[in-house]
Amino acid sequence: MIILTRLNGTTFAINPDLVERMHATPDTTLILVDGSKHVVAEALDVVLDRIIDFRAAVVSRARDLPITTDRTQFGLVPPAVAAGPSAPVALRPRKKEDPTWTPQR
């Protein structure tokens, strides 16, 4: 999350991964992937720098995680998957007469 300031002076945090685009005409406007707009007091280059710093911090923290063979420690792999692979499932081609067949789009 990055901290930004609304034009009325209040601060708020926003997830930079949800920012679709930004405009600076004349106030900096962030448009999120859901279509919501946020007008902020910071200049466009300041917002970009904060996003870059946020992403660098994420990469840095990921690099500093301890190396472990137990990937469930961080919730990265569900316990059922971590227990071992399941038996392979045989795939068979389905024919058009099969009631579960649907056309590929």
Side-chain angles (χ1 to χ4, degrees):
M1 304 289 273
I2 59 171
I3 306 297
L4 298 172
T5 310
R6 287 184 167 74
L7 294 180
N8 66 6
T10 60
T11 58
F12 70 105
I14 195 162
N15 182 349
D17 294 331
L18 300 180
V19 176
E20 181 178 316
R21 62 186 183 272
M22 294 186 288
H23 301 279
T25 54
D27 296 322
T28 305
T29 305
L30 284 72
I31 295 112
L32 304 185
V33 294
D34 67 354
S36 63
K37 296 180 181 181
H38 299 274
V39 181
V40 297
E42 289 83 4
L44 185 69
D45 58 340
V46 172
V47 177
L48 284 174
D49 286 343
R50 289 184 186 174
I51 291 173
I52 291 167
D53 291 344
F54 168 78
R55 293 183 192 281
V58 169
V59 170
S60 176
R61 285 186 182 189
R63 184 195 61 219
D64 294 340
L65 286 174
I67 297 174
T68 178
T69 56
D70 182 17
R71 294 178 57 84
T72 59
Q73 174 184 354
F74 300 112
L76 300 175
V77 179
V81 174
S86 59
V89 177
L91 299 177
R92 61 174 176 80
R94 293 190 285 177
K95 297 181 179 175
K96 210 171 188 179
E97 299 80 30
D98 187 348
T100 61
W101 181 86
T102 55
Q104 298 294 323
R105 294 183 183 200

